[in-house]
Amino acid sequence: MVSVTSDGTIMVRRCFITLRPFRIFVVGIGFFTLCLLMTSFGGQFSATRLADSPFTMRAEVTGSPESRGVLRKMSYMLEVIMKRMDMLARLENSSELRKVDELAHYSLDSFQPAGLMEKIQAIAQNVSEISVKVDRILRNSHFNEKDSFSTFPGGRRDMCEVPKDPRFPDCAGKMEWMRSKWTSDPCYAFYGVDGTECSFLVYLSEVEWFCPELPWRNQTQAPPVLKPHPKKEAAFRLDLAPLLDLLGSGKESLIFMKKRIRRLASHWLLAARHLEERMKDTKKEQKQILVHIGFLTEESGDVFSPRVLKGGPLGEMVQWADILATLFMLGHSLKITVSVKDLQSALGVPPGRGSCPLTDPLHYDLIYTDYHGMQQMKHHMGISFKKYRCHVRVVDTFGTEPAYNHEEYATLHGFRTNWGYWNLHPQQFMTMFPHTPDNSFMGFVSEELNDTEKQFVKMNKVDNMAVVYGKEANMWKGKDNFLAILNKHMEIHGTVYYESQRPPEVPPFVKNHGLLPQSELQHLLKKAKLFIGFGFPYEGPAPLEAVANGCVYLQPRFNPPHSSLNHEFFRGKPTSREVSSQHPYMESYIGKPHVWTVDFNNLEEFEEALQSIMRTKVDPYLPFEYTCGGMLERIHVYIQNQDFCASTPMEANNTGKDTIPLPMLNNATVLVWPTNVSSPQVWPPPTSMQVWLSDPGLSCIETCQVHGRTCEPAFFRLINRKNAFQKLNVQCDSTEAEMNHLYPAVVETVHECYLQKEELLFSCAGHHEKYRRLCPCRDFRWGQVALCQDCL
């Protein structure tokens, strides 16, 4: 028998009727492993034969109760092994080999007599690995003999009282939770929790932060300080081949992304060289970056990979391929994961289900992911997610407005959706198009033609050729009226996916090419005069690519605008944005002659637009922000300047004291930052700022656009004070600070002014008829709206 007595003695006692060589080997291996484990735990070990049997041994180990507890588990393992040997002995003398099934009642994996020596060796190896892991646990534990046990009050671990400290109001509640839930996750034991009051307190004060530091703990030895990784200069890379190796393979989505990166490699290389030349005297710190593409993981369903070859939505994969190329070309150190297992390994997730903090401090400066990935991170990082979420950048196609992002506010005011309430800084969300300045504009790239290619396109355009934006047959339903008019003037081409046995459900006068590879689609767009949208999908990359290849883009105007109030597609998305057309960016930032937006329900207006387009000559056009150079420039500036981990708590100043300079300009209708006054550590620089008061019912987005600028949410901190109203000659009979995504604002009819109480609710979006909002606007570079004139 194998047992551990109360004084720490381990007894191994067994007499065998028939002792075969391999069984001697098993017992020897087991006992030898047990000896190694005991000595690795810091105990004193000795073994002797007892007189009652030549095969009875006695081992004594001294050490902490924790060590003895672990050893009891090890002795149980050895006991199980020896019981298995008894069973095998009976099987050796019996033809009833079916009794092997009885072995399944034990905790070890079942094995057959054949190959027994290899199984035994595997068991010995596993036990050896366990010893290493247990040793790591003990080294990480807060309860070893030297550091912990001797410091408990009275030398007992069950005599701790919950401290009453008003700075830690959640301590008592967390202690109560630990009493009932400490066995719910193995990671608590990993940090030394053993069911005693003192272990709960040490964990909650030293691993988490819900309880104050305990005065009776041995604090003489300072915890080891992990040195941050040395800062390096980021050097532009001129070869994308290593990135393709990092990306891996196996999924159709990854194959698609790698093909795109290869196809645009020469464009990335040329853009990187140009930017490197422009920034040769600028310091560029290399960042450690984790990229986790959550929607490609098996846990999220990986719905995109099977649809890559069937015309499914590719916008997300286009954007992620360009993000990876951008980060890599800028010279940063990348780790790419597309599985939860790899994510756990990269983050250092402790064993268990993820309620505990990470085992080591996060060693990534930035983490780029999506909503699926963020949910996976929160689940597996436990409470560490709250600590490290400032490092996250969320690739978010349609954007997340502050009112939906703030969990408490969203819940109280009806803004809560399945996608919002993350309590991130709103600019941590990065969008495909710059439709809301509350978020950061990430973007993607479209292939840019050189001068020779542009001339070729202009010479080979077919003036009566149109390509329809719609790869799925259901997008063509209900469009017969204006398709008939289009067919009168132009030859219609489609790229609708279909299987050979099922022809697509499109009109017979449409020449359908099926789903085309990207190179063939580009060739088709270079010939076509018109690229026409049917209203869906919203804000995809294809219209931009069409205009870059010399097409005119014709799209429907929505009246009333589409939003979550009247259209199912937007319902549940964390935005109140009203979409006035299929592609608002194309309408607002490009416009005629390249983009025409008309009411498709007005067939007369639709036909007139067609005739005008056929007479119009346009050159290929691509905004700089959607070129490789524009994306490299923009993301570089973000990485070097955006820091959401270092922001200080915001305090609303309603005292009226002029704590910051906001002088009036001209007729007191606008405020600017003086050029002769040093600005605070804010990015973008405040010298690009103008402060305007909106008209009632207008958002700050609309107000800034009226003045030829864009709203800049980073400036709200500077103007969220009473003296900003005073300098604009606004009468404030009362000034209150409250949580409201429309504040700072004034109700002029009653002379009530309101300041923002919660920094995460600063929002350029949102309007109300009774409020005139205080709006911070900034200048921007033409073709690069995300950056101000002096931002590079």
Side-chain angles (χ1 to χ4, degrees):
M1 291 295 294
V2 180
S3 61
V4 180
T5 63
S6 60
D7 62 351
T9 299
I10 298 178
M11 302 294 294
V12 183
R13 188 188 304 264
R14 174 68 63 190
C15 292
F16 296 112
I17 299 174
T18 303
L19 192 61
R20 299 197 177 187
F22 72 87
R23 301 178 66 194
I24 297 175
F25 174 76
V26 171
V27 177
I29 284 289
F31 192 74
F32 177 69
T33 303
L34 200 58
C35 298
L36 289 178
L37 288 173
M38 288 187 284
T39 54
S40 68
F41 298 154
Q44 299 298 320
F45 170 76
S46 64
T48 59
R49 292 186 180 182
L50 300 185
D52 59 345
S53 171
F55 303 109
T56 300
M57 292 174 282
R58 172 188 179 92
E60 296 182 359
V61 62
T62 60
S64 66
E66 293 72 28
S67 300
R68 291 195 293 270
V70 174
L71 290 173
R72 287 191 184 94
K73 296 179 182 178
M74 296 300 102
S75 70
Y76 171 75
M77 179 180 292
L78 187 56
E79 174 70 12
V80 170
I81 293 174
M82 300 179 79
K83 287 181 179 179
R84 297 290 294 273
M85 294 304 100
D86 276 350
M87 183 67 71
L88 286 172
R90 291 194 297 271
L91 286 172
E92 287 170 345
N93 297 316
S94 172
S95 61
E96 298 178 43
L97 292 178
R98 65 179 181 275
K99 291 186 179 180
V100 170
D101 292 340
E102 297 178 23
L103 302 178
H105 295 293
Y106 295 98
S107 60
L108 297 179
D109 295 332
S110 60
F111 59 86
Q112 302 295 333
L116 183 58
M117 294 299 294
E118 289 80 6
K119 295 290 184 180
I120 294 171
Q121 291 171 351
I123 293 171
Q125 178 63 32
N126 288 337
V127 174
S128 177
E129 292 174 358
I130 291 171
S131 72
V132 174
K133 293 179 180 179
V134 173
D135 180 63
R136 182 186 176 195
I137 292 173
L138 292 179
R139 282 189 279 109
N140 281 282
S141 174
H142 295 276
F143 302 107
N144 57 61
E145 182 77 20
K146 178 179 178 181
D147 178 56
S148 177
F149 185 72
S150 61
T151 63
F152 288 117
R156 292 184 57 185
R157 300 166 58 181
D158 56 354
M159 295 181 62
C160 296
E161 295 184 1
V162 180
K164 296 180 180 180
D165 190 327
R167 298 173 301 167
F168 299 88
D170 298 324
C171 184
K174 286 292 179 179
M175 280 290 291
E176 188 64 31
W177 190 92
M178 290 293 291
R179 290 186 187 106
S180 60
K181 301 290 187 180
W182 74 273
T183 59
S184 63
D185 196 318
C187 69
Y188 291 117
F190 179 84
Y191 284 105
V193 176
D194 63 356
T196 61
E197 295 287 293
C198 294
S199 70
F200 298 156
L201 273 176
V202 172
Y203 176 84
L204 291 174
S205 62
E206 297 180 15
V207 181
E208 299 187 13
W209 53 85
F210 294 105
C211 295
E213 290 186 2
L214 306 172
W216 45 264
R217 288 283 290 164
N218 182 10
Q219 304 294 342
T220 57
Q221 184 177 0
V225 178
L226 295 178
K227 294 182 179 180
H229 54 79
K231 293 184 179 180
K232 298 180 181 179
E233 185 82 2
F236 285 95
R237 293 189 177 97
L238 302 179
D239 181 13
L240 281 165
L243 173 61
L244 301 179
D245 294 335
L246 278 176
L247 194 53
S249 60
K251 297 175 180 284
E252 289 292 344
S253 49
L254 296 179
I255 295 172
F256 172 87
M257 292 164 66
K258 292 173 75 169
K259 285 182 178 178
R260 176 176 176 82
I261 292 172
R262 286 194 194 97
R263 186 167 53 83
L264 295 176
S266 61
H267 295 267
W268 287 115
L269 177 60
L270 184 62
R273 284 175 174 166
H274 286 169
L275 187 59
E276 183 180 29
E277 179 63 24
R278 291 169 55 197
M279 304 184 62
K280 57 185 177 182
D281 298 325
T282 304
K283 290 186 177 181
K284 305 173 289 295
E285 181 184 338
Q286 186 188 61
K287 304 290 186 179
Q288 304 293 316
I289 299 178
L290 171 64
V291 179
H292 178 62
I293 311 177
F295 74 88
L296 293 184
T297 63
E298 298 298 332
E299 288 77 5
S300 68
D302 189 16
V303 296
F304 286 92
S305 291
R307 301 178 66 186
V308 169
L309 301 179
K310 297 183 179 181
L314 303 179
E316 286 86 351
M317 281 177 282
V318 165
Q319 188 180 32
W320 274 107
D322 296 345
I323 290 170
L324 290 170
T326 299
L327 298 176
F328 187 80
M329 294 300 285
L330 288 173
H332 299 291
S333 176
L334 297 189
K335 169 71 175 179
I336 303 171
T337 59
V338 291
S339 73
V340 170
K341 181 179 179 181
D342 289 342
L343 173 68
Q344 291 175 304
S345 176
L347 293 174
V349 175
R353 291 182 294 278
S355 299
C356 293
L358 301 182
T359 55
D360 297 309
L362 186 72
H363 59 276
Y364 294 104
D365 300 301
L366 295 169
I367 302 175
Y368 287 84
T369 189
D370 52 26
Y371 269 116
H372 294 284
M374 190 160 54
Q375 186 67 54
Q376 292 163 357
M377 288 170 57
K378 182 179 180 181
H379 176 72
H380 292 284
M381 292 175 71
I383 62 171
S384 289
F385 179 78
K386 182 177 181 181
K387 179 179 180 180
Y388 294 120
R389 64 186 174 188
C390 60
H391 297 264
V392 175
R393 303 293 184 267
V394 184
V395 179
D396 177 10
T397 303
F398 289 95
T400 299
E401 293 175 7
Y404 298 81
N405 169 63
H406 192 282
E407 183 175 17
E408 178 185 355
Y409 186 79
T411 303
L412 291 175
H413 295 86
F415 292 104
R416 182 151 183 157
T417 69
N418 291 333
W419 300 101
Y421 66 85
W422 284 95
N423 289 326
L424 300 181
H425 191 291
Q427 288 186 303
Q428 289 178 251
F429 297 99
M430 314 196 85
T431 58
M432 183 173 279
F433 289 94
H435 41 58
T436 171
D438 288 323
N439 304 148
S440 298
F441 164 43
M442 168 64 77
F444 59 95
V445 305
S446 187
E447 190 168 349
E448 186 178 16
L449 305 184
N450 58 37
D451 292 339
T452 302
E453 291 170 327
K454 289 180 180 178
Q455 284 299 118
F456 178 83
V457 167
K458 290 170 63 176
M459 293 173 58
N460 291 275
K461 280 292 178 183
V462 180
D463 289 338
N464 67 338
M465 177 179 174
V467 175
V468 173
Y469 182 21
K471 294 180 294 184
E472 298 181 12
N474 59 5
M475 297 178 183
W476 295 65
K477 293 180 179 179
K479 311 297 190 299
D480 296 340
N481 290 337
F482 54 80
L483 273 176
I485 295 175
L486 180 62
N487 186 46
K488 283 170 48 180
H489 298 277
M490 308 187 85
E491 181 183 274
I492 305 175
H493 294 252
T495 58
V496 182
Y497 169 79
Y498 66 95
E499 298 176 355
S500 57
Q501 65 273 23
R502 291 186 60 189
E505 299 176 6
V506 297
F509 52 77
V510 175
K511 184 178 181 179
N512 185 39
H513 299 262
L515 188 65
L516 293 177
Q518 187 66 21
S519 58
E520 295 182 28
L521 176 61
Q522 294 280 338
H523 180 72
L524 187 66
L525 294 175
K526 285 179 172 66
K527 291 177 60 179
K529 174 73 173 184
L530 178 69
F531 188 69
I532 181 171
F534 285 165
F536 189 85
Y538 300 100
E539 300 178 309
L544 200 66
E545 294 176 349
V547 171
N549 282 284
C551 294
V552 174
Y553 175 52
L554 177 63
Q555 65 171 345
R557 178 186 297 115
F558 300 146
N559 188 19
H562 291 183
S563 70
S564 59
L565 299 178
N566 61 12
H567 204 275
E568 186 63 32
F569 178 83
F570 290 99
R571 194 159 291 125
K573 291 184 170 57
T575 175
S576 59
R577 196 158 57 97
E578 297 177 335
V579 178
S580 59
S581 62
Q582 181 176 356
H583 210 302
Y585 174 85
M586 305 293 290
E587 178 185 6
S588 301
Y589 287 86
I590 299 180
K592 291 182 179 180
H594 301 281
V595 179
W596 293 61
T597 305
V598 301
D599 183 1
F600 278 26
N601 293 318
N602 186 331
L603 299 182
E604 183 178 343
E605 180 185 356
F606 177 79
E607 188 165 13
E608 288 177 358
L610 278 179
Q611 294 171 343
S612 297
I613 289 170
M614 294 178 69
R615 296 191 299 266
T616 303
K617 299 293 184 181
V618 297
D619 294 333
Y621 174 73
L622 181 64
F624 176 71
E625 55 201 355
Y626 282 99
T627 65
C628 292
M631 188 166 182
L632 283 171
E633 178 185 88
R634 181 171 62 254
I635 304 308
H636 162 73
V637 175
Y638 285 160
I639 289 174
Q640 300 299 329
N641 292 281
Q642 286 185 334
D643 186 355
F644 304 113
C645 298
S647 59
T648 56
M650 184 272 302
E651 294 182 6
N653 181 356
N654 58 2
T655 64
K657 185 177 180 180
D658 193 0
T659 56
I660 62 169
L662 283 173
M664 293 178 292
L665 179 67
N666 297 332
N667 59 358
T669 59
V670 60
L671 304 179
V672 298
W673 193 275
T675 56
N676 61 344
V677 176
S678 60
S679 59
Q681 295 298 315
V682 177
W683 187 86
T687 51
S688 64
M689 177 178 66
Q690 288 186 1
V691 184
W692 296 84
L693 201 63
S694 78
D695 290 336
L698 288 186
S699 69
C700 284
I701 295 176
E702 298 165 313
T703 299
C704 294
Q705 287 176 344
V706 168
H707 298 288
R709 293 179 170 253
T710 185
C711 181
E712 179 49 67
F715 292 154
F716 272 115
R717 288 172 61 101
L718 301 179
I719 67 172
N720 188 48
R721 52 193 70 240
K722 185 176 179 180
N723 64 11
F725 289 112
Q726 293 173 337
K727 288 180 177 292
L728 287 169
N729 292 333
V730 175
Q731 181 180 348
C732 298
D733 292 344
S734 64
T735 304
E736 301 292 337
E738 298 179 5
M739 285 202 314
N740 191 308
H741 71 288
L742 302 178
Y743 295 167
V746 58
V747 183
E748 284 193 317
T749 55
V750 292
H751 307 299
E752 293 177 348
C753 296
Y754 296 94
L755 301 177
Q756 181 59 258
K757 187 178 180 180
E758 171 54 64
E759 184 173 15
L760 295 184
L761 286 174
F762 282 137
S763 178
C764 293
H767 56 83
H768 194 283
E769 291 298 329
K770 76 174 183 177
Y771 291 123
R772 297 191 68 185
R773 300 193 56 192
L774 197 60
C775 299
C777 309
R778 66 160 169 84
D779 58 34
F780 59 89
R781 300 173 59 204
W782 186 252
Q784 186 71 290
V785 68
L787 304 183
C788 66
Q789 296 287 350
D790 299 324
C791 279
L792 187 61

